[in-house]
Amino acid sequence: MKITVLTLFPEMFAPLKESIIGRAEKSGKIQIEIVNIRDYADNKHFKCDDYPFGGGAGMVMMPQPIGSAILAVDPGHGARRIFLSPRGAVFKQSKVFELLEYEHIVLLCGHYEGVDERVIDLYIDEEISIGDYVLTGGELPAMVVCDCVARYVDGVISDGSLVDESFSDGLLEYPQYTRPAEYGGLKVPEVLLSGDHKKIDEWRKKQSVALTKKRRPDLL
């Protein structure tokens, strides 16, 4: 899978070169391409924003640099083009599985007061939000989408690690423990030390249901 990110601030994506996602890219399992929108501005100062028509605070990203960048990275519109926006549909695990069906995803990061609406009308397939709050730009949401999608690409993470995690079966994940068996006066539940895998599975299922009921009853 290839994920192309269009941004005014490519330096912000350095964390994607680290840890599991970084190793997956180095091994060729995924390709994450970071594109500077300024490189496609057709003015000598590489200007990409201007004052909004009708007045108002802040600046708006101009359509030309964004449109040229999109057409350069996806000339035949073979990719799924997504604008990270607080007015988009809230990002959920089900959307991750939808996006995995595409060989190429293009993520557009807005900034300032947003982008010229004509960019969305002409080039964007859908808008995605990572939550009901506003950030300074689309870079952090784009990193969230990259991480969520990339970890499900074949070979990035072992299949077993993807089975019993939060939202994998509509429930929150059960509590996890490791050595030592006692810490701070608290002991690991005896069932996890029993070696009885049937009882362990039952305990984990019960804990997942209880946690979901307490913290996210909307999922039940």
Side-chain angles (χ1 to χ4, degrees), residues 167-187:
F167 309 111
S168 60
D169 59 357
L171 299 172
L172 300 183
E173 187 177 9
Y174 49 78
Q176 296 278 13
Y177 298 88
T178 187
R179 293 180 176 84
E182 182 175 347
Y183 174 76
L186 300 178
K187 296 182 178 180

Side-chain angles (χ1 to χ4, degrees), residues 18 50 77 91 95 115 118 165 185 216:
E18 305 298 329
D50 210 332
H77 200 163
F91 192 51
K95 175 58 67 173
V115 306
R118 290 167 292 184
E165 60 182 6
R216 291 293 305 277

Side-chain angles (χ1 to χ4, degrees), residues 126-141:
E126 66 177 306
E127 297 180 51
I128 287 178
S129 167
I130 62 167
D132 294 335
Y133 47 86
V134 180
L135 299 168
T136 56
E139 284 74 21
L140 292 176

Side-chain angles (χ1 to χ4, degrees), residues 11-77:
E11 297 83 2
M12 290 184 66
F13 291 87
L16 293 180
K17 299 295 183 182
E18 305 298 329
S19 189
I20 294 171
I21 306 303
R23 291 196 298 272
E25 185 174 21
K26 289 178 182 177
S27 64
K29 294 181 176 66
I30 59 173
Q31 180 183 356
I32 299 179
E33 176 186 36
I34 310 300
V35 175
N36 192 337
I37 296 171
R38 294 187 192 279
D39 292 341
Y40 294 90
D42 63 2
N43 59 84
K44 65 179 181 180
H45 298 296
F46 301 101
K47 182 177 175 61
C48 291
D49 61 286
D50 210 332
Y51 295 104
F53 282 124
M59 307 290 277
V60 176
M61 291 177 65
M62 301 160 62
Q64 179 277 312
I66 299 173
S68 295
I70 291 174
L71 293 176
V73 302
D74 181 34
H77 200 163

Side-chain angles (χ1 to χ4, degrees), residues 7-8 20 28-29 43 58 62 75 80-82 84 92 99 103 109 116 118 122 127 133 139 151 183 218:
T7 175
L8 294 175
I20 294 171
K29 294 181 176 66
N43 59 84
M62 301 160 62
R80 186 66 172 176
R81 300 171 178 176
I82 299 167
L84 286 312
K92 295 180 181 293
L99 296 181
E103 294 184 3
C109 303
D116 189 298
R118 290 167 292 184
L122 289 170
E127 297 180 51
Y133 47 86
E139 284 74 21
R151 66 195 301 275
Y183 174 76
D218 57 295

Side-chain angles (χ1 to χ4, degrees), residues 1 3 29-30 100 148-157 162:
M1 167 176 276
I3 303 176
K29 294 181 176 66
I30 59 173
L100 283 168
C148 288
V149 173
R151 66 195 301 275
Y152 278 92
V153 173
D154 287 345
V156 174
I157 295 180
L162 298 173

